[in-house]
Amino acid sequence: MRVTVEKQGDIQEALIERLRDSIARCRICWDTPLKGEGDRLPHEPRPVAVISAKAKILIAGQAPGLRVHESGLPFNDASGDRLRTWLNVDRDMFYDADRFAIVPMGFCFPGYDDRGSDLPPRRECAPRWCDEAMSAMPQIELVLAIGQYAQAYHLGGRRKKSMTETVQNWRNYLQTNTGIPVLPLPHPSWRNTSWLRKNPWFEQEILPTLRQHVEILTR
């Protein structure tokens, strides 16, 4: 019996709703940390992700910062402001789950290192959830891979030795005949302001293409 498009949509929504619920209840970095109890997440888990049955753009970041952890809203910080400028969208459009899915490499704020910088995404998270999240969203037509961790996952062996080289090679990832097109981006953190100044080609060459794709895929 042929399944109708409407029925397929209902099935996908049900699968995604179950996935959202499972992610919201995830505590693996607290209950079963990869390196043992001494490496447990330093606070109660609060997974932050947006799984969508309709969005055509996936924003794949690193991990939530403290402000996002406190609010439960992804990219609800200065990095998010810069990212929305890059995309040329306002907050209402950015947080419209029918337009953007958001699946970072780590769903919970990982804490700070001794220098006060955010720790890397927890290593328990992506292996547990990212493949399942991607399988649940077959409608995705563009992945924005933000930072080295997201680029490692979404580009695999195609990634270059450095984040800069990977971003410079963006055309080869975006104009592909296999798989979902991926556009690698630097992290929009204020810590990368000097990188942006040293690499003006990013704003001159990549941002116009990024904005064009966003405009088309969010209509």
Side-chain angles (χ1 to χ4, degrees):
M1 182 181 296
R2 187 164 53 189
V3 179
T4 66
V5 172
E6 183 177 357
K7 184 64 174 179
Q8 287 177 332
D10 291 341
I11 293 172
Q12 185 185 10
E13 284 284 7
L15 289 172
I16 283 181
E17 191 57 38
R18 285 198 293 270
L19 179 58
R20 288 178 185 139
D21 183 63
S22 297
I23 289 172
R25 293 184 287 106
C26 181
R27 293 173 57 87
I28 56 174
C29 54
W30 179 270
D31 294 337
T32 56
L34 192 63
K35 296 182 180 179
E37 292 186 6
D39 189 46
R40 177 176 286 150
L41 190 73
H43 48 260
E44 279 288 321
R46 188 178 190 181
V48 178
V50 178
I51 314 296
S52 171
K54 295 182 179 180
K56 295 180 180 179
I57 299 175
L58 170 64
I59 298 174
Q62 298 192 145
L66 179 59
R67 285 189 59 184
V68 173
H69 172 74
E70 292 172 342
S71 68
L73 196 61
F75 287 102
N76 186 33
D77 51 21
S79 295
D81 292 338
R82 174 176 273 171
L83 177 59
R84 284 182 281 276
T85 297
W86 289 354
L87 302 175
N88 195 32
V89 301
D90 59 20
R91 286 178 65 92
D92 287 342
M93 180 177 287
F94 184 82
Y95 290 116
D96 182 349
D98 287 348
R99 288 188 166 102
F100 293 100
I102 303 175
V103 180
M105 295 298 99
F107 292 162
C108 292
F109 170 52
Y112 295 121
D113 62 20
D114 294 338
R115 297 172 298 172
S117 298
D118 288 7
L119 287 166
R122 296 289 302 200
R123 292 195 296 172
E124 301 91 346
C125 200
R128 171 62 186 86
W129 294 114
C130 284
D131 284 356
E132 186 173 352
M134 292 301 296
S135 295
M137 299 187 293
Q139 82 284 350
I140 294 295
E141 296 184 20
L142 174 65
V143 174
L144 305 180
I146 299 175
Q148 61 175 321
Y149 298 101
Q151 289 159 17
Y153 175 80
H154 287 282
L155 294 174
R158 295 184 294 159
R159 183 175 61 125
K160 301 299 181 181
K161 292 182 179 180
S162 71
M163 188 275 294
T164 299
E165 289 180 275
T166 301
V167 176
Q168 285 177 320
N169 199 47
W170 63 275
R171 289 182 179 85
N172 289 335
Y173 308 128
L174 187 61
Q175 300 166 0
T176 179
N177 293 322
T178 60
I180 303 171
V182 176
L183 182 56
L185 303 173
H187 197 280
S189 167
W190 63 270
R191 297 178 186 276
N192 278 338
T193 297
S194 62
W195 185 93
L196 294 169
R197 289 173 180 160
K198 292 176 184 177
N199 298 278
W201 50 267
F202 171 74
E203 293 190 357
Q204 295 165 2
E205 299 176 14
I206 298 181
L207 288 192
T209 299
L210 169 62
R211 290 166 177 167
Q212 183 181 38
H213 279 73
V214 168
E215 182 181 1
I216 293 171
L217 295 176
T218 57
R219 288 174 182 168

